Amino acid sequence: MSDDTSEDWPRYPGLAGKVALVTGGSRGVGAATCQALAANGVAVAVNGRDRAATHPLGRIGRPGDVAQAVLYLVSDASSWVTGVTLDLAGGRVIV
């Protein structure tokens, strides 16, 4: 496996649209399992000890991340922004 592209994973068409919970998914075999399932169209919920490793950006958010968004929203650059939700989760979705 050279990288995380879906072309590297075997195809199992019957898995598309399914949901899976992978425990121990933050590293090693668990993380590879998550990637393989996702490449096959499975919605994957990941449970692992290392929160940062299970985060799409590879780290936990910092106060400065939110501060940058606030600075944007109070600036003139955001004068045309109305009626939207600004998602400051760094790509992480908790359902």
Side-chain angles (χ1 to χ4, degrees):
M1 208 168 24
S2 59
D3 56 24
D4 293 339
T5 61
S6 61
E7 295 86 30
D8 293 337
W9 300 104
R11 307 313 283 159
Y12 299 99
L15 292 177
K18 304 286 184 181
V19 177
L21 168 63
V22 179
T23 59
S26 58
R27 300 254 186 249
V29 173
T33 300
C34 292
Q35 293 170 347
L37 289 170
N40 278 279
V42 177
V44 181
V46 183
N47 183 0
R49 291 183 186 179
D50 185 350
R51 266 183 61 199
T54 61
H55 199 283
L57 295 180
R59 67 176 177 83
I60 305 298
R62 298 183 291 254
D65 297 326
V66 176
Q68 291 298 320
V70 171
L71 289 174
Y72 166 72
L73 289 172
V74 300
S75 74
D76 289 338
S78 69
S79 65
W80 198 247
V81 176
T82 61
V84 297
T85 300
L86 187 58
D87 185 0
L88 300 176
R92 186 173 183 121
V93 178
I94 300 173
V95 186

